[in-house]
Amino acid sequence: MTTDRIVGIDLGTTNSLVAFMQGESPVVIPGEDGLNLVPSVVALDENNQPVIGSSARRYLIETPERAVYSVKRLMGRGVEDVQEELKLFPFRLADDLQPGEVLRIKLGDKTFTPPEISALILRQLKRNAERHFGGPVSKAVITVPAYFNDAQRQATKDAGRIAGLEVLRLVNEPTAASLAYGLDQKQNGIIAVYDLGGGTFDISILKLHDGIFEVIATNGDTHLGGDDIDNLLITIALDDIRGDMNLDLRRNAEAVQAIRKSVIEAKIALSSQASAKLDVELRGGRRYQREVTREQFEQLIQPIIDRTVGPCKQAMKDAGLKPEQIDEAVLVGGSTRIPKVRALVKELFQREPHSDLNPDEVVALGAAVQANILGGGSVATENMLLLDVTPLSLGIEVAGGVTDKIILRNSTIPASATQFYTTQIDGQANVAMCPRASSAAARKRKSKYSPATASPTSRSRA
Amino acid sequence: MSKSTVSTIAAARTHDAAESCWSCGAMRVAQFCGACGKVQPPAPVDYFSFFGLPPKLNLDVATLEKEFYELSRKLHPDLNARAGSKEQEWSLEQSSRLNDAYRTLKDPIKRTQYLLHLEGVQLEEQSKSATEKARATGEVKKQIVPPDLLEEVFELNMQLEELRMEKKTGEDDPALIAEIEKHKAALEQKYEALFQELQSYWKSWDGLIEREQAGQAVPAGERKQALDKMVDVLNRRNYIRNLVRDVNEALEGSS
């Protein structure tokens, strides 16, 4: 294509990728190390220079106070929203944070906002793409969890801007995945995309019709993923160590990171083996070892993966569909490699789920397809069009703090709504407009506040 | 009021058809140019006219969907991402109008409510948000019990009160729950039946529109009667829906 190159980026909790449309098929652009996945890890080296990706990993263990991972969990959130995360993740917030202020995370003696850290990852992906093309890349489509709210989306856009990328669209991750699947299958029907990643879970139900990808319902949990499994195993290991060796390592960041590395390896091994060994070298030549069978592992993670059931059922209900009406179920996200997760999906949708495309790469590939559509399309994407929805109901706060929903969740976007309100008291000259996003999970969360004033022309009837 | 709405729709449509494309000058259809395909500035038309439909209530949803997909292929911002900024803005507005119109018209109840709204009828608000609002502000919500339900509602409310009392004292009364479940099933059946009734009023409304289209005068009284019947069904339907919701809330955790 002669026009600007538009790349597709999957900015993931655990790994990030950049892809583009090469001829008629999307491909992932590898980094200098030859690997497609760039771990979403950022560290500062001895000279305070940022290190990103695989090379930043060793800092997690050697100098954990100079490294950060899973920063996606903090995107668009305030200090009051992240108390739970702080208990489970070694995020070190700046000491002088005021309530309501944008979060800042300490790396060494410097501080960064979550979008700034994400921007460092994006910049690395941009560099990888530029190296591949031998020319500048300035436009991108970035994917976000379908269930991200407005503030989380805005933070992602900010990250793009800081990285020097014009973000043409934010595309929902499960929808992007469906584009990658739909590209070579060209079938019509209803598909369910089950996307369990490192930190987020989405379920989307789409209707495919001659190249139109119409999302009918979406649901999810922006704080549910492989991270939760890791944290659970870490907690168990720490308890073991405390009980058996009389050693409390909960505050020892280096030891926790070493345990984390070991549990992740065991988790991955357990997807293909009947048992795996946790093996962590501790200070003073001591060693923590434990055999974990797949059966034990599956029992442990059951409560976590069961949390995906509610959103799936709600999405089916919202779509007005029964499991037998779903034609295909598609698996996306690294955590869907776990056999127990696959079994759950099979049970939910009453069919064997698909995982023909690499679940780690499919979202980025789909983002590249959408980038191609926005760039004017090609033979492969000629008839393709994505019709997505708003995952959360949008409303206006009215008297008494009640939210009057004016755009219901799962409405195809763009959407608009007009609602007439009267002033509360006679002679009132200003109205504060307070838009809110609401869902069962996000009922208390306030959408981005945009104050507005209006001069009512007529007097209220009170 | 009602008469003028329809003539405004007609006027808007002729107005549209008479306009020419801002880009190539050819005659255009409502949202995009038939000759060069460019998106046009949005015109203030109602949802029926947006799809080129008369304001009739019996409509084929499969055809509407097909039309929705076709229009999406012309109007969606993703397919106009490389157009000029004005066109991109129009594409966004037209596309959101299209989505709003499709969402409203594909749903039989929303479609009926929308038509009533076009005809200047104010519907009694009995939605959940209206209930919450009423609770929060302390306003008394207007709630008229449909006459044919009076007896049943009276009995049901007594039983619900009994159930709530028993819940507090931790008693368990399967016979009472069975009674309430029976009422609930009857209500749900009525709810379904009301939809059939609504469809029969659609028929009279559509007949009336057809007569108008054929140039016959329709007396205002007849028009009002057709509308009133629909309002009545919708109100009764809302009433039952709220009642079933109350029953479900009361039953929660007891069965």
Side-chain angles (χ1 to χ4, degrees), chain B residues 135-205:
Chain B
R135 271 182 203 160
T137 54
E139 276 169 46
V140 179
K141 194 161 59 96
K142 205 165 95 185
Q143 185 105 303
I144 304 156
V145 185
D148 61 321
L149 285 178
L150 261 177
E151 210 170 309
E152 192 166 2
V153 168
F154 183 74
E155 201 184 318
L156 179 61
N157 275 332
M158 299 261 287
Q159 289 168 340
L160 286 179
E161 198 47 45
E162 208 176 319
L163 181 70
R164 287 185 195 114
M165 293 290 288
E166 283 180 5
K167 247 190 187 172
K168 268 184 206 156
T169 54
E171 271 175 82
D172 194 27
D173 186 350
L176 178 66
I177 289 170
E179 270 302 305
I180 294 174
E181 292 278 9
K182 215 168 78 190
H183 275 296
K184 187 181 139 188
L187 283 173
E188 278 168 346
Q189 211 175 351
K190 278 212 173 93
Y191 189 75
E192 294 303 317
L194 280 173
F195 186 60
Q196 310 289 324
E197 195 182 336
L198 182 65
Q199 282 177 313
S200 73
Y201 300 139
W202 285 1
K203 225 171 156 184
S204 13
W205 171 262

Side-chain angles (χ1 to χ4, degrees), chain B residues 124-143:
Chain B
E124 224 176 287
E125 257 301 323
Q126 300 205 325
S127 62
K128 192 161 188 178
S129 68
T131 312
E132 281 171 8
K133 219 188 294 182
R135 271 182 203 160
T137 54
E139 276 169 46
V140 179
K141 194 161 59 96
K142 205 165 95 185
Q143 185 105 303

Side-chain angles (χ1 to χ4, degrees), chain A residues 268-277 294:
Chain A
I268 292 170
L270 283 167
S271 286
S272 54
Q273 301 166 14
S275 75
K277 206 172 200 177
R294 188 188 281 185

Side-chain angles (χ1 to χ4, degrees), chain A residues 169 207 210 214 370 383 416, chain B residues 65 69 73 78 99-100:
Chain A
R169 289 281 187 284
K207 186 170 179 179
D210 296 341
E214 184 189 7
Q370 179 68 359
N383 272 317
S416 62
Chain B
E65 182 186 64
Y69 288 154
R73 287 190 194 280
D78 285 1
N99 291 335
D100 299 343

Side-chain angles (χ1 to χ4, degrees), chain A residues 292-303:
Chain A
V292 183
T293 66
R294 188 188 281 185
E295 205 185 337
Q296 288 170 327
F297 175 72
E298 290 182 345
Q299 247 173 23
L300 286 172
I301 65 168
Q302 193 71 49

Side-chain angles (χ1 to χ4, degrees), chain A residues 1 62 77 105-106 111 154 229 295 322 346 389 404 418 421-422:
Chain A
M1 210 185 305
E62 291 168 9
R77 314 190 88 213
I105 299 157
K106 273 200 291 191
T111 65
Q154 193 54 51
I229 294 174
E295 205 185 337
K322 295 196 163 59
K346 185 179 172 186
V389 300
D404 188 22
T418 311
Y421 298 100
T422 52

Side-chain angles (χ1 to χ4, degrees), chain A residues 176-199:
Chain A
S178 77
L179 287 177
Y181 265 97
L183 195 62
D184 35 61
Q185 304 194 349
K186 302 257 186 250
Q187 87 281 42
N188 289 339
I190 308 280
I191 66 167
V193 182
Y194 180 101
D195 179 357
L196 187 62

